[in-house]
Amino acid sequence: MKVKHEKPKLYIVLISIHGLIRNHDLELGRDADTGGQTLYVTELARALAAHPAVGRVDLLTRRISDQKVDIDYQKEIEYLSPHARLVRLDCGPKRYLRKEVLWPHLDAFIDKSLQHIRSAGRVPDIIHGHYADAGMVGAQLAGLLGIPFVYTGHSLGHDKLNQLLNNGVNAENIENRYNISQRIEAEEVAIGSAAMVVASTHQEINQQYARYDNYQTNRMAVIPPGVDLSRFHPPRRGCRYERIMTLLNPFLSIPKKPMIVAVSRADERKNISSLIRAYGESTELQELANLVIVAGNRDNIKDLDKGARDVLTEILMLIDEYDLYGKVAYPKHHQPDDIPDLFQLASQNKGVFINPALTEPFGLTLIEAAASGLPIVATNDGGPKEIINLCKNGDVIDPHDIKIISAALKHVLVDPKCWNRWSKNGIKNVSHHFSWKGHVDHYIREIQKRTLTQYRKRITNTVKSRLPMIDRLAFSAIDNSLIGDLQGLSELMSRLKRNVNHNVGFGIATGRSLDSVLRLLKQENIPIPDVIISSVGSEIYYYHIGKKMIEDKGWKKLISYRWQPTEIIHLMKNIDNVKIAPQKEQREHKISYRISNFDKNLLSSLKKYLRQHDIHAKVIITQERYLDILPTRASKGLAIRYIAIKWGLPLDRIFVAGDAGNDEEMLKGDTLAVVVANHSKELLRLKNKPRIYFAEKGFASGILEGLEYYDFLGDINPHDEIINIQSVVGL
């Protein structure tokens, strides 16, 4: 009798790096980084883990040790449900950082994620990145592992940039504050790498994602988020909601009046000021209802970041200007469980929920309020239009027009039939359209249809070489790093040879082709290394025991993802000042060109041009003369990490040496890196970065100095105590 084997259940990795995430009492609204996204990813993780096709979900985020935040965020592992875990990984300084300053530390997050996945003992079936930072990280991880990548942007950089510019903020100030160009480029990478982009609404796809060069409608999927119907439901008979009344009563002269409720972060885009003006200028509205504003938690306004401080200061000034004391409640603190109670109390008292935001990609609070029986009035931007269209439970308004805001609120408050109809419609239609079970069912169908049949999940190893016998591996660039100092080279080779029969492997990472590398090694009398990463990371070769170089076909297959060389060559014919290089410089996964007249805008314009033609590739310019186009998954840094996964080497047992700007990617992260003294000026930006040592000597002597600094041929000392000191003093 044949035994029927059950199909393995899915292992899904979600990534959401910034903000404060934990299993209980989410600090929603504490700051701009701890908002709806943190709630979304925790509820998504639990809902996915409950699906019968899913066996395990890991939500990866950043571990934080900071006296200013709760000790909960130091825990490495926290269970969200029996099959869903929150996994916190070290990334940069230990203290809490806003997302805009996390960019330099994301390489370390990639490396820590690889270590976690290795410890899990199974390659995930899906990696799903949330927001631009996790989008960039997730795209690289999925590329290394050869698995599908799913992306959700939540809030997009182009949209934020336009809003800030329209509000009169200077472009230079935007860049300095928000690193907006880096964010938009990360979003381009994520969108271009994704097998599926999850959006909440069609408007989000058509008006927001459509601004990106990598936008392709066939990879977009509208899957609205769910709401926890066990928490958000209509008021139950007899409930008194004493805790929430304790928070509100000190502010209100007549607490039992209906409430106009607004819940959001203290962010200028949430447009709370226009709501207060609409209320303050209408004595009729003041007679009809109290106004309740929940704008995050605060101890002291002066301790908040500037954006929240400015918004809350304006709220207090407007309340004073319109003399709204006794009519407006603005509590300093609330717990997550207070929000469902607030919505139910407002519903019980025939109130209304309002979201007057200038821009709203979705609006999770809208469906939470609707599930509680509150009619809604909301901005005519983004998600609210589609929510109200589906739920038939409210009205949309122009958030810039305070008279329209006031009229819409008065309409629902004075018309009992309208209130009852919108309340019932919201309760019924949220349950039908916005449950987490429905979201996850749709999600699983989409990823199975779009992704799982297209990938192999294992990185196997079939090459006979020394690598299975080593426990550490040293890589070096070749020109101006390994070569350039004969005496230093001789001493370095001698030191490596004394260890070569034991546990140390040696590799080269270069832009040269394999033939060029082998000729140069022979010319300089350098033994053939165990590994050669050639052609700017597009090829990997191992030294076979039978004296041959064997190409890693797994890497070749992995980087072939969306590689379209014929189309690239055709499109590049239209580019002035660029001429294709001789045939001997062309490789299967590298197309090389010569630049006849360099223009500083060439790189950005080429990227945009290729993306707009649905070409996903890396464009590298060297010395303003040479231009290489590679698959999006190919680079020296990613090749090193692929080798680490394949051969089971932790990244802190891999040494990397380089001298030039195109070595930067492979020098960053959790490897042990040395920059030789004769380095190019581009590498100066790596000074004081963790695990990057700047040698006092140049060429091979500098490499040897780095090996001694890390004691790489001995017990290995990564000098992480230096990182901890930098973290404490705030470097």
Side-chain angles (χ1 to χ4, degrees):
M1 184 178 70
K2 285 187 177 181
V3 178
K4 186 176 180 180
H5 296 284
E6 287 189 11
K7 188 177 180 181
K9 292 190 174 186
L10 298 174
Y11 171 29
I12 298 174
V13 168
L14 308 177
I15 306 175
S16 184
I17 299 171
H18 63 262
L20 297 170
I21 305 178
R22 60 184 175 186
N23 180 40
H24 61 93
D25 299 331
L26 289 174
E27 300 184 63
L28 300 177
R30 175 193 172 107
D31 54 40
D33 290 355
T34 308
Q37 180 181 326
T38 58
L39 177 64
Y40 179 101
V41 293
T42 51
E43 293 197 344
L44 174 62
R46 293 189 190 101
L48 282 169
H51 192 279
V54 178
R56 172 176 177 176
V57 177
D58 285 346
L59 170 56
L60 309 187
T61 191
R62 181 170 173 261
R63 192 157 78 105
I64 300 159
S65 179
D66 190 330
Q67 291 182 345
K68 295 179 181 178
V69 302
D70 199 282
I71 196 171
D72 282 348
Y73 305 112
Q74 294 182 33
K75 297 175 185 175
E76 292 186 9
I77 302 287
E78 188 176 356
Y79 275 87
L80 299 170
S81 73
H83 300 290
R85 301 190 309 168
L86 181 58
V87 179
R88 297 187 181 91
L89 305 174
D90 293 323
C91 171
K94 292 183 177 181
R95 67 185 183 279
Y96 185 46
L97 297 174
R98 61 186 177 90
K99 59 181 176 292
E100 288 83 6
V101 297
L102 278 175
W103 294 104
H105 309 294
L106 295 184
D107 292 284
F109 196 92
I110 292 169
D111 291 346
K112 288 293 194 301
S113 300
L114 287 172
Q115 291 175 28
H116 166 71
I117 288 167
R118 181 164 186 79
S119 71
R122 179 182 172 188
V123 177
D125 296 282
I126 293 286
I127 288 180
H128 186 164
H130 295 265
Y131 193 78
D133 48 11
M136 187 186 76
V137 166
Q140 292 198 43
L141 284 171
L144 282 167
L145 298 169
I147 60 177
F149 172 60
V150 176
Y151 177 56
T152 300
H154 292 279
S155 169
L156 294 175
H158 271 307
D159 200 52
K160 184 179 184 74
L161 175 61
N162 288 341
Q163 287 288 338
L164 291 170
L165 289 173
N166 290 338
N167 288 340
V169 184
N170 177 273
E172 186 177 351
N173 292 339
I174 295 171
E175 185 61 35
N176 291 337
R177 166 70 181 171
Y178 297 106
N179 282 323
I180 201 75
S181 59
Q182 189 166 16
R183 172 176 168 182
I184 290 171
E185 177 62 20
E187 289 165 343
E188 287 283 12
V189 169
I191 295 166
S193 302
M196 180 171 77
V197 176
V198 177
S200 299
T201 66
H202 292 283
Q203 186 268 0
E204 189 180 352
I205 291 174
N206 298 330
Q207 295 184 27
Q208 296 182 44
Y209 281 104
R211 293 174 179 165
Y212 288 81
D213 297 333
N214 275 324
Y215 168 71
Q216 295 293 326
T217 54
N218 62 323
R219 292 201 298 275
M220 301 284 167
V222 176
I223 312 177
V227 61
D228 185 350
L229 296 176
S230 68
R231 296 179 65 231
F232 293 94
H233 51 75
R236 289 176 179 144
R237 188 173 297 175
C239 284
R240 297 171 64 87
Y241 306 108
E242 291 177 356
R243 174 175 160 75
I244 196 68
M245 289 300 298
T246 302
L247 293 178
L248 302 181
N249 283 359
F251 294 93
L252 303 174
S253 300
I254 310 174
K256 291 188 177 180
K257 280 185 5 182
M259 299 178 195
I260 300 165
V261 177
V263 178
S264 71
R265 299 192 312 274
D267 185 312
E268 64 179 347
R269 291 174 299 168
K270 299 303 180 182
N271 199 31
I272 302 170
S273 59
S274 291
L275 170 61
I276 299 173
R277 288 189 177 95
Y279 184 76
E281 295 193 8
S282 173
T283 54
E284 184 183 355
L285 204 52
Q286 294 170 40
E287 288 294 323
L288 286 169
N290 293 319
L291 176 60
V292 176
I293 298 169
V294 179
N297 286 294
R298 62 190 184 276
D299 290 322
N300 193 322
I301 290 176
K302 70 180 182 180
D303 294 332
L304 299 174
D305 66 66
K306 185 178 184 305
R309 189 167 65 242
D310 290 348
V311 168
L312 287 163
T313 300
E314 186 180 22
I315 287 172
L316 296 179
M317 292 177 70
L318 286 169
I319 289 170
D320 192 71
E321 178 184 339
Y322 288 107
D323 194 16
L324 297 175
Y325 298 103
K327 301 174 183 178
V328 181
Y330 42 98
K332 292 181 70 169
H333 298 100
H334 70 279
Q335 300 297 324
D337 285 341
D338 292 333
I339 300 301
D341 286 354
L342 172 62
F343 288 166
Q344 289 162 36
L345 175 63
S347 179
Q348 190 177 74
N349 290 348
K350 305 294 183 182
V352 58
F353 179 81
I354 181 166
N355 178 339
L358 298 174
T359 176
E360 185 58 78
F362 183 66
L364 188 60
T365 51
L366 291 172
I367 56 176
E368 291 172 343
S372 307
L374 276 175
I376 60 179
V377 172
T379 179
N380 58 8
D381 176 85
K385 289 175 70 174
E386 294 190 29
I387 291 170
I388 290 173
N389 184 53
L390 284 171
C391 292
K392 307 290 190 293
N393 69 327
D395 201 1
V396 293
I397 45 91
D398 178 352
H400 300 281
D401 191 326
I402 62 173
K403 290 183 179 178
I404 290 177
I405 294 173
S406 177
L409 291 169
K410 282 187 279 189
H411 170 67
V412 67
L413 288 167
V414 300
D415 187 339
K417 289 183 179 179
C418 174
W419 192 98
N420 286 327
R421 183 172 69 254
W422 284 357
S423 175
K424 290 176 182 177
N425 286 349
I427 294 166
K428 179 181 70 175
N429 289 321
V430 163
S431 177
H432 180 69
H433 294 289
F434 297 105
S435 73
W436 272 115
K437 182 182 182 304
H439 175 95
V440 168
D441 286 344
H442 190 173
Y443 181 102
I444 295 297
R445 284 197 306 272
E446 289 289 344
I447 61 173
Q448 287 175 334
K449 177 176 70 177
R450 294 166 180 261
T451 62
L452 295 181
T453 58
Q454 302 171 23
Y455 293 81
R456 285 188 176 179
K457 297 187 285 293
R458 298 285 177 239
I459 296 175
T460 57
N461 139 29
T462 59
V463 180
K464 265 192 171 180
S465 78
R466 289 184 59 255
L467 289 178
M469 297 176 282
I470 67 171
D471 71 355
R472 64 198 73 185
L473 183 55
F475 279 98
S476 173
I478 191 166
D479 297 286
N480 296 317
S481 289
L482 189 63
I483 292 171
D485 171 10
L486 286 175
Q487 184 177 345
L489 177 60
S490 175
E491 187 177 350
L492 174 62
M493 289 298 106
S494 176
R495 288 289 301 277
L496 289 173
K497 190 174 181 181
R498 290 204 296 271
N499 285 274
V500 81
N501 292 324
H502 297 95
N503 59 353
V504 181
F506 179 57
I508 284 172
T510 178
R512 289 175 175 260
S513 68
L514 177 66
D515 291 342
S516 175
V517 173
L518 294 176
R519 282 196 302 271
L520 189 58
L521 293 176
K522 186 175 181 180
Q523 177 185 316
E524 299 290 335
N525 200 28
I526 300 172
I528 296 176
D530 299 294
V531 189
I532 295 175
I533 297 171
S534 63
S535 300
V536 205
S538 63
E539 296 172 6
I540 299 174
Y541 295 90
Y542 304 106
Y543 182 50
H544 194 277
I545 290 171
K547 309 292 183 185
K548 296 177 181 178
M549 298 304 297
I550 303 296
E551 186 174 6
D552 189 318
K553 293 182 180 178
W555 177 246
K556 185 176 177 179
K557 181 176 180 180
L558 195 69
I559 66 171
S560 294
Y561 178 71
R562 292 188 183 159
W563 176 237
Q564 299 170 278
T566 304
E567 289 83 349
I568 291 170
I569 292 169
H570 174 73
L571 288 168
M572 290 295 291
K573 290 177 180 177
N574 300 320
I575 305 298
D576 295 333
N577 302 325
V578 170
K579 184 179 179 181
I580 196 160
Q583 184 60 37
K584 64 180 181 180
E585 296 184 27
Q586 309 302 331
R587 309 294 293 178
E588 184 178 353
H589 292 92
K590 179 176 76 74
I591 307 171
S592 296
Y593 292 85
R594 295 284 185 271
I595 302 170
S596 57
N597 186 14
F598 179 72
D599 176 349
K600 66 179 182 180
N601 296 318
L602 177 61
L603 182 61
S604 59
S605 61
L606 260 183
K607 283 182 178 180
K608 185 179 184 69
Y609 174 64
L610 293 174
R611 286 168 176 169
Q612 288 176 336
H613 288 83
D614 199 19
I615 297 295
H616 306 278
K618 285 185 177 173
V619 182
I620 300 170
I621 294 176
T622 308
Q623 298 175 356
E624 299 182 356
R625 290 185 296 164
Y626 306 104
L627 188 151
D628 294 310
I629 301 178
L630 307 168
T632 188
R633 289 180 170 180
S635 75
K636 291 187 285 186
L638 291 175
I640 286 172
R641 281 150 181 81
Y642 168 88
I643 290 166
I645 299 166
K646 179 167 184 168
W647 298 96
L649 288 170
L651 287 164
D652 58 7
R653 301 187 80 81
I654 293 180
F655 173 92
V656 184
D659 66 277
N662 62 12
D663 297 323
E664 181 176 347
E665 186 196 23
M666 74 175 185
L667 293 166
K668 295 191 298 187
D670 275 7
T671 54
L672 308 179
V674 61
V675 178
V676 295
N678 56 297
H679 62 82
S680 63
K681 63 182 180 182
E682 297 100 319
L683 294 185
L684 285 173
R685 56 177 167 258
L686 299 182
K687 280 243 179 182
N688 298 321
K689 297 292 184 186
R691 295 188 178 185
I692 300 179
Y693 174 69
F694 277 71
E696 296 180 2
K697 299 176 183 177
F699 304 102
S701 295
I703 297 173
L704 191 54
E705 182 185 336
L707 289 170
E708 291 170 350
Y709 172 78
Y710 292 114
D711 191 17
F712 193 75
L713 304 180
D715 293 331
I716 302 185
N717 177 9
H719 293 279
D720 284 340
E721 69 278 3
I722 294 175
I723 302 170
N724 294 333
I725 291 170
Q726 291 174 344
S727 176
V728 170
V729 300
L731 293 178

